[in-house]
Each structure stands twice: as structure tokens, then as C-alpha cells.
Amino acid sequence: MFTTDIEQIPGRRTLWEQTAQRLQTLIANGTIAPGTRLTENALAKQLGVSRAPLREAIRHLMNIGLLISEPYKGVRVLELTSEGLHQLYEYRTGIEQMAFRSLWPKRSAESFADLDRRHARLLEAIDSGDSALAIDRELELHQWCYELSGNALLIDAWGRVKPHLRCYFVLHQRAHNRSGPARQSHDRYLEHAKGESLPAALDFIEAHMKQGFDQVIDHVG
Amino acid sequence: MFTTDIEQIPGRRTLWEQTAQRLQTLIANGTIAPGTRLTENALAKQLGVSRAPLREAIRHLMNIGLLISEPYKGVRVLELTSEGLHQLYEYRTGIEQMAFRSLWPKRSAESFADLDRRHARLLEAIDSGDSALAIDRELELHQWCYELSGNALLIDAWGRVKPHLRCYFVLHQRAHNRSGPARQSHDRYLEHAKGESLPAALDFIEAHMKQGFDQVIDHVG
DNA sequence: TGCGATTTGTCCGTATGTATT
DNA sequence: TAATACATACGGACAAATCGC
């Protein structure tokens, strides 16, 4: 693997990993607003950790891109802009197409079963009305293609994109007060993933991403 | 010990950035061999810094992927494998094609002049016989497409790929005792970058990358 | 199996450098 | 210019985990 995947190994994580995860959640759900300037001492006290692990957590979120640091001036939370969203979707479209090209020869019955399982869990979350859970499940659904590709750099790139998507999704969901993209769109995503034509799948990904982009773009400053 | 190597631009960057840069160079040029386990106290003494900034530098290189960390076990330098090289080139091909798709409408006379300037500097380095410099110049040449794309995520992705490429390039150069890819290949790269057909450019990138991959693959464990 | 040695992870106090007022 | 606030850096200390014997 590339970086340590924080979201796994739930039990015995180091303090800086837990701190990074907590910060990431606070940023994603808007508790810490975009553009907020973070002061280390105050934040360390609030989180109940010392500055050392906090600074390492900050360094991690910097590398993910959720925090922006200016030396000797401090760090601030990334602002959500239409330009940023555009670049995010351009990038995400590219890496997801890359993943599909890479995974295409590796497709199997088991991988399709895995995909179906993720899809079922997404539908389950949507029906439950828990929109935060639905967002996570949707990200897990798309993670299928990266894991199947087996390319550590792609998996890592996805891990970096995911928290950004979560931020924008939450923003969109708050504006609309309903959960993510339509069910039908994901049905067609699965059809193409299991279908026979790679070019058709790539085209659909492009359209699928553009649809997601258009849904969110109106709610960004 | 190896503190003699780099003393470049210690200007106004923070200590952890300088430390990360020094470590990166030591890893790239093989002074610290792949697979080496790093112990913090010893390394801090050798580099003349305290553990705090060293740990942040390590965290940075972890996120780049040059160092691998297992909690409480330590960090070790990434090993160069044929599988890793394959994934690196698959990924690099993808993001460079992505960059070309993104920059294509933004091409201009000035951007072509910029590209020519980078090319000239590469040829200059090749002719000078300084292979380390030639490697840097080749990376700067390719960086053109990412900068012109203007996509911050793509630029960031390239920034993470670059140090890995440097490691493999140095490995290859040491085996061959000559500098990088042929001049003709870069000439054609420029022709396609300035040409009229995006699909042709994308195809050439694929071939160009595969050629680079084949040149290096034989020298990896 | 346990025990000690080593290393990482964490915390604290303090000093220095930088930006801002 | 002085003063304040904060980020950065250092050193020492202890706790926690791992590894070798």
C-alpha cells in the first residue's frame, strides 16, 4: 500500500491517526467550516491531545489536501469553490476511467458479486434515510473499481479524492435535504461495469460524473 | 555520514521541509538503499535535527509513498519492484493522458514556447553529460503538461509520481551508465504536443511510456 | 513462555523565529 | 518601532509496543 489507510484497523490506531480521522470528520460534516484558520494550541486542547500528534495529523490532512498550510502563518481549511469542484470531478473522472481500463481483464463472477453486495448496501442505506451513511456507501461502491484494479497508486489517489467528495456531498445534501444521486444512475453503473463494452463503460462514467457534478455545482460559492 | 550531500536553497523553508527534501534526495540517489529501516534517533542525529521535524518529514514522505510505516515497528524505504514499476507507469500514463485532455483547449503560442524552453534545457543537460541533471530536466519537461492543465489535483499527483520516477531513473542510469531516454523520442513528444490530433497525442503518450517502462524494467529486482 | 532491550509514540516546558497589531 | 500571538523547533522524559533472547 501507499499511505496507511486510516479507515481500517479500527482498534489499535495511533493517536495521530485517530486525530486525523476526527479532524477529517469535523471538516467533512461542516463543524469546522471551510476557510477556518486552525490554531494548534487551542485545537490540541479541544481534541485532548498534545501538539506533536496533532501536527502530524495536520501534516496528513495537508497531504490529502483538506488543509492548506502557509509556513509560520498557520493552516486553514480548504475552501469549497466551483473551480475546485470542477477540477475534482475532472480528476475523478480520469482516475475512475483509468481504474476501469485496468480492472477490465480482471473481472470475474466473484468481483461482480462483490459489486452487487456494495450496491445492495448502498440501496439499504438510501432506504434507511441515513444520508451520511448513504454517502459512505456510495463511496464504497465506487471504491470497488479501484480495489479490483489492484494498482496501489490508483487506490491511493482514490483515498485522497474521497474526503473531498464527502465534503461536497455533505454540502449538497444540506442544501437539498435529501441523499445522493438517483438509484437508477447506479443501476446503469453496475450494468456497464458488468457489461461487455469497455468504451461504453468509459463513456458512461464520463456522463455519470458530469451528472453528479451538475447536481452539486449549484450549491457551491 | 551522508550529511555532506545536499545543501541547496536552505532559504526560508521550514526545517521539516528541508529535512524531507534532503531525505528524498538521499533516497533517490541510492545513498539510503530501498528497504532500509530508518531509526528516528539515529537519523535525527545524522541529519542534525530533532525528532519533531524529522517525524513530520517522514510523515510527508509516507504520504508521497517513498517511506512505508508500520506503527511501532518503524519506517522503511520503499522497495523497487517490477510490479511497482508497472503500476507506476500505468498510473503515470493515465494522468499524463488526463493532463493532455485537459490542456488541449488551452494550448497557445506562449505555452509552446515554454515547452520548447524546457526541451532545450533538457538537451543542454544531456549534452553536458550530467545525468542527474538530465533526469531533473526530463521531469521538468513533462511537468509542462500538468502545469498547463491547471488542475491542482493533477499537479499534485505528478508531484507524488516524480520522486518515484527519479528513483527508478537513477537505478536504470546506474545500470546503463548513460543518461535517460533517446532525444528522438522527446522530439516526437513535442511534435504531438504541438500537433493537431489529440487522439494521436494520447496514443503516442501510451507508446512513449511503454518505451520508458521497457528501458527500466530489466534493472529491477 | 517470560524478560529485558530497543524503538516508536506521546507529552511537556521552553526557546526562537515569524507575522500581525 | 515595540509588543503580542502564534508557529516552529529543541530536548528531555515517560509510556506503549515490538523484538530478541
Side-chain angles (χ1 to χ4, degrees):
Chain A
M1 266 284 288
F2 234 10
T3 60
T4 59
D5 195 344
I6 292 179
E7 306 181 28
Q8 292 164 4
I9 325 165
R12 296 222 311 263
R13 298 176 304 175
T14 58
L15 188 55
W16 77 263
E17 285 176 310
Q18 301 176 40
T19 305
Q21 182 61 53
R22 287 172 64 190
L23 271 177
Q24 189 172 310
T25 304
L26 291 173
I27 292 171
N29 66 24
T31 306
I32 304 180
T36 304
R37 184 146 167 276
L38 302 180
T39 64
E40 287 185 6
N41 272 315
L43 196 57
K45 276 208 169 95
Q46 286 178 339
L47 296 177
V49 301
S50 70
R51 293 191 306 279
L54 175 61
R55 281 178 64 86
E56 296 195 46
I58 288 175
R59 200 70 53 218
H60 180 74
L61 295 187
M62 267 178 57
N63 284 309
I64 286 182
L66 283 184
L67 295 180
I68 315 256
S69 161
E70 294 159 287
Y72 293 102
K73 288 170 83 174
V75 295
R76 63 178 204 280
V77 180
L78 176 74
E79 318 226 16
L80 306 183
T81 67
S82 59
E83 176 61 17
L85 181 64
H86 175 261
Q87 294 189 2
L88 180 65
Y89 266 83
E90 180 181 47
Y91 184 69
R92 190 197 166 189
T93 303
I95 61 173
E96 194 136 337
Q97 288 177 328
M98 214 191 302
F100 264 72
R101 286 196 201 91
S102 177
L103 71 80
W104 205 254
K106 302 178 182 176
R107 297 186 308 162
S108 67
E110 303 95 272
S111 63
F112 290 156
D114 180 20
L115 181 59
D116 287 333
R117 188 180 52 76
R118 295 174 196 243
H119 188 221
R121 286 166 60 85
L122 167 59
L123 296 181
E124 180 186 307
I126 291 178
D127 292 338
S128 80
D130 185 338
S131 51
L133 182 63
I135 290 175
D136 281 340
R137 294 284 167 81
E138 178 173 348
L139 296 175
E140 281 175 26
L141 171 66
H142 284 276
Q143 188 160 321
W144 171 81
C145 65
Y146 300 97
E147 291 181 5
L148 186 55
S149 83
N151 189 314
L153 289 94
L154 267 176
I155 295 172
D156 193 60
W158 169 245
R160 202 170 284 100
V161 163
K162 205 161 41 168
H164 289 252
L165 288 175
R166 210 179 259 118
C167 291
Y168 282 102
F169 281 177
V170 169
L171 191 73
H172 168 254
Q173 155 205 309
R174 294 215 166 169
H176 264 337
N177 201 26
R178 62 177 178 83
S179 76
R183 304 172 59 127
Q184 303 84 347
S185 182
H186 289 114
D187 290 340
R188 292 177 57 203
Y189 184 85
L190 262 74
E191 284 173 23
H192 278 97
K194 295 194 268 188
E196 287 309 309
S197 169
L198 175 58
L202 297 180
D203 285 344
F204 176 76
I205 288 173
E206 190 122 14
H208 182 75
M209 294 299 164
K210 177 149 183 37
Q211 180 190 17
F213 172 77
D214 290 336
Q215 282 190 351
V216 182
I217 188 62
D218 293 330
H219 311 287
V220 186
Chain B
M1 193 113 142
F2 35 69
T3 54
T4 60
D5 267 307
I6 336 94
E7 215 59 49
Q8 54 182 18
I9 327 171
R12 286 229 312 273
R13 297 178 305 175
T14 58
L15 188 54
W16 76 261
E17 279 177 305
Q18 302 175 41
T19 306
Q21 182 63 50
R22 289 172 64 190
L23 272 177
Q24 188 173 312
T25 305
L26 291 172
I27 292 171
N29 66 23
T31 307
I32 303 180
T36 304
R37 180 145 174 279
L38 303 178
T39 65
E40 291 183 2
N41 276 316
L43 195 56
K45 273 203 173 117
Q46 287 177 337
L47 295 177
V49 300
S50 68
R51 280 180 64 199
L54 174 62
R55 281 175 65 87
E56 295 195 49
I58 288 176
R59 201 71 54 219
H60 180 73
L61 295 187
M62 268 179 57
N63 284 314
I64 287 181
L66 283 184
L67 295 180
I68 307 204
S69 160
E70 294 161 284
Y72 292 104
K73 285 179 163 181
V75 295
R76 62 180 202 280
V77 180
L78 177 74
E79 318 223 17
L80 306 183
T81 66
S82 58
E83 175 61 17
L85 182 64
H86 175 262
Q87 294 189 0
L88 180 65
Y89 266 83
E90 179 181 47
Y91 183 70
R92 189 195 167 192
T93 302
I95 62 173
E96 194 136 336
Q97 289 178 327
M98 216 191 301
F100 265 72
R101 287 195 200 92
S102 178
L103 70 80
W104 205 253
K106 302 179 181 173
R107 298 187 307 161
S108 67
E110 303 95 273
S111 63
F112 290 156
D114 180 20
L115 181 60
D116 287 334
R117 189 180 51 77
R118 294 174 196 243
H119 189 220
R121 287 166 59 85
L122 168 60
L123 295 181
E124 180 185 308
I126 290 178
D127 292 339
S128 80
D130 186 339
S131 51
L133 183 63
I135 289 175
D136 281 340
R137 293 285 167 81
E138 177 172 350
L139 295 175
E140 281 175 26
L141 171 66
H142 284 278
Q143 188 161 322
W144 170 82
C145 66
Y146 300 98
E147 291 180 5
L148 186 55
S149 83
N151 189 313
L153 289 94
L154 266 177
I155 295 172
D156 195 59
W158 169 247
R160 267 194 309 282
V161 164
K162 205 160 41 167
H164 290 253
L165 288 174
R166 209 179 261 117
C167 290
Y168 282 103
F169 281 178
V170 169
L171 191 73
H172 167 254
Q173 155 205 310
R174 295 215 164 166
H176 263 337
N177 202 25
R178 61 178 179 84
S179 78
R183 303 172 59 126
Q184 303 84 346
S185 182
H186 290 116
D187 290 339
R188 294 177 57 204
Y189 183 85
L190 262 75
E191 285 174 23
H192 278 98
K194 296 194 269 188
E196 287 308 310
S197 169
L198 175 57
L202 297 180
D203 284 344
F204 176 76
I205 288 173
E206 189 121 14
H208 183 76
M209 295 299 163
K210 177 149 184 37
Q211 180 190 16
F213 173 78
D214 289 337
Q215 281 190 352
V216 183
I217 188 64
D218 292 332
H219 311 287
V220 186

